[in-house]
Amino acid sequence: MLGVDLHLDIGAGSRALEAALREAVTSGRLPAGTKLPGTRTLAGDLGVARGTVVEAYAQLVAEGRLVSATGSGTWVADTRHPPRRPEPPARPVFDLRPGRPDLGLFPRALWAASVKRTLAAASRESLDYSDPAGLKVLREAVATYLSRARGVRADAGAVVVTSGFTHGLALLSRALHSAGVRTIGTEDPGLAHHRAVIRAAGPATTPLAVDSEGAAVPSGAGAVLLTPAHQHPRGVVLSPGRRAAFLGWAREHGGIVIEDDYDGEFRYDKNPVGALQAGDPDHVVFAGSTSKSLAPGLRLGWLVVPDRLRVPVLDAVAATGATVGAPAQLAIADLLDRGDYDRHVRRARQVYRKRRAELAARLAPLDGIPAGLHALLPLASRQEEKRVLDAGLAAGLQLQGITTAGYWHSADRPEAGLIIGYATPPQSAWRPALDALAEVLAGAAIKPW
């Protein structure tokens, strides 16, 4: 008969097992509700007589530390004090910070079915140590999807599977540094965390000013990080002229453009702008993930890498030992191949389109195009940003400011605003969250940049 493993340090003497069990329970090493092995199983594991185990269990049951029922076994009792009188219910807290989708939209049934289906059919080899670039079945599915849905020029050999965009950026920064790149240009404003990831891998960062046409072309950088389809956080699209200028810069200087397509599937007024990578696959790395389309907790993304960077990137994967688990790779490949991923994105797009329109109707002027999972509301000053954040906190709103979150390369920049993550709340909380936000912003000093 088999049971759970249980480690006990048993000394000499007839009461040794009883004392060891008592210590494990009182110290919390065996928490309340833990099912203990049967007496016969534990006796065999410890090399003691079954009667010794029966006596030890009986004593601890008598002390109230264990609970035993015929046919159900023995488990650790809950000896905690009864809870105090319930507190009055707290005011609802609404999370409107950017960076996450509505996790309630995650297609759990589709995902569970995909995991079950693919694991049942998986070969032994697919569960072994695999190609650091990722399972071929997923790389093929990603290449097909990106070619069709985002206009990327790719085949399976160019795809590297990552555990999300940040992981991909760390790999690229390390690979670029090993190839001699000492400075990477990043958008200003842009995520401070991305700058930190780049610097941790070796290269320095330099700001690329962002205006209504997107980021400015760099000088003195060997690579750049862009969000061309929907700049984060301003929400503008990289203009055709700037797209051509960046590609021209990359060709002339041998530079690399890292294209972060973090929410490129979500455009609400027209079809999403195509990938910059299609203009020059030899100089652009296309990077995407499932963090905005499905859920960040999946920890799954991809890079489409030019030939000259493939070996350095795979060397970085090998050096860090960071790869994505086979079950997740098999499941997402299945969703892509069956069209379930596309159908989910379409459903989510309808939800977010409606929320974005409702947000725009209540708050004006929002910066940027109707796209993505966030919108920027410009404010008159840093002081006004802090006042609104404090008022929001008092009203039960979790908000994010552009200056307080470190989006500017320089702390002296005067432009301020809220980055509103309208996709974050669950569907049932969206309208109350919007009402609370509108109330907090009533009379706020709004100033377009």
Side-chain angles (χ1 to χ4, degrees):
M1 296 179 62
L2 302 177
V4 297
D5 285 340
L6 178 60
H7 173 76
L8 294 171
D9 291 321
I10 302 177
S14 60
R15 299 293 181 183
L17 175 58
E18 178 187 312
L21 281 168
R22 185 181 294 109
E23 185 279 331
V25 171
T26 57
S27 69
R29 190 165 64 81
L30 294 179
T34 300
K35 183 77 178 288
L36 297 183
T39 55
R40 191 185 306 277
T41 299
L42 185 58
D45 289 345
L46 299 179
V48 299
R50 184 185 179 196
T52 301
V53 179
V54 170
E55 290 180 10
Y57 278 10
Q59 178 59 36
L60 293 180
V61 167
E63 295 175 8
R65 303 182 192 278
L66 299 181
V67 176
S68 182
T70 302
S72 298
T74 304
W75 59 94
V76 179
D78 188 350
T79 58
R80 297 171 296 183
H81 296 295
R84 292 176 293 180
R85 188 163 53 187
E87 300 287 340
R91 176 188 358 213
V93 175
F94 302 115
D95 191 349
L96 288 171
R97 294 170 297 175
R100 295 184 305 288
D102 179 351
L103 299 178
L105 298 180
F106 181 76
R108 293 172 184 257
L110 285 174
W111 181 262
S114 181
V115 169
K116 181 178 181 180
R117 184 166 48 245
T118 54
L119 281 180
S123 65
R124 293 176 55 194
E125 291 73 22
S126 65
L127 300 177
D128 200 352
Y129 294 107
S130 62
D131 187 331
L135 294 178
K136 186 178 180 182
V137 63
L138 176 55
R139 291 187 284 115
E140 290 175 340
V142 167
T144 299
Y145 170 75
L146 295 179
S147 298
R148 170 174 49 78
R150 301 296 296 120
V152 172
R153 292 165 57 187
D155 58 28
V159 175
V160 176
V161 178
T162 70
S163 61
F165 174 75
T166 300
H167 175 222
L169 179 60
L171 296 174
L172 287 168
S173 300
R174 185 172 181 140
L176 288 167
H177 190 252
S178 69
V181 172
R182 294 295 172 258
T183 303
I184 297 178
T186 61
E187 294 168 328
D188 188 21
L191 279 173
H193 180 59
H194 288 172
R195 300 196 294 272
V197 169
I198 291 169
R199 292 168 185 161
T205 60
T206 187
L208 308 176
V210 175
D211 58 23
S212 60
E213 294 189 71
V217 178
S219 60
V224 295
L225 170 61
L226 302 179
T227 50
H230 186 228
Q231 200 275 331
H232 187 84
R234 291 202 58 178
V236 300
V237 175
L238 192 66
S239 70
R242 294 278 175 85
R243 289 165 74 97
F246 270 104
L247 294 179
W249 162 82
R251 295 186 191 106
E252 180 180 354
H253 299 279
I256 288 290
V257 176
I258 304 170
E259 179 178 11
D260 177 5
D261 196 58
Y262 69 102
D263 62 4
E265 295 102 336
F266 297 108
R267 180 77 184 257
Y268 310 128
D269 58 341
K270 59 179 68 174
N271 288 332
V273 63
L276 180 65
Q277 186 264 5
D280 194 337
D282 293 332
H283 291 91
V284 181
V285 178
F286 182 90
S289 79
T290 61
S291 295
K292 306 298 183 290
S293 57
L294 288 173
L298 292 183
R299 307 309 308 143
L300 204 150
W302 42 74
L303 304 173
V304 179
V305 183
D307 287 344
R308 62 182 166 129
L309 278 181
R310 183 171 176 78
V311 170
V313 166
L314 293 181
D315 285 345
V317 174
T320 57
T323 57
V324 179
Q329 293 192 54
L330 292 170
I332 193 65
D334 183 64
L335 290 178
L336 288 167
D337 286 340
R338 296 170 65 90
D340 289 334
Y341 183 85
D342 292 72
R343 286 185 282 273
H344 167 75
V345 168
R346 284 179 174 272
R347 286 191 292 268
R349 191 183 292 143
Q350 294 301 320
V351 172
Y352 301 146
R353 175 187 284 117
K354 186 176 181 180
R355 291 192 191 184
R356 214 288 183 173
E358 291 173 345
L359 182 68
R362 300 284 292 272
L363 305 176
L366 297 176
D367 205 15
I369 61 169
L373 310 184
H374 78 275
L376 174 64
L377 179 70
L379 296 173
S381 66
R382 299 167 65 96
Q383 292 75 22
E384 180 69 351
E385 180 184 304
K386 185 178 186 308
R387 186 196 69 76
V388 168
L389 291 175
D390 290 343
L393 190 62
L397 286 173
Q398 293 179 293
L399 301 171
Q400 184 165 295
I402 192 168
T403 63
T404 53
Y407 276 82
W408 297 110
H409 284 242
S410 169
D412 298 329
R413 290 293 294 263
E415 298 91 339
L418 289 184
I419 309 167
I420 303 168
Y422 54 81
T424 306
Q427 189 72 358
S428 61
W430 163 241
R431 292 289 177 78
L434 180 57
D435 291 341
L437 178 64
E439 184 175 343
V440 164
L441 290 171
I446 298 173
K447 178 183 178 183
W449 293 356

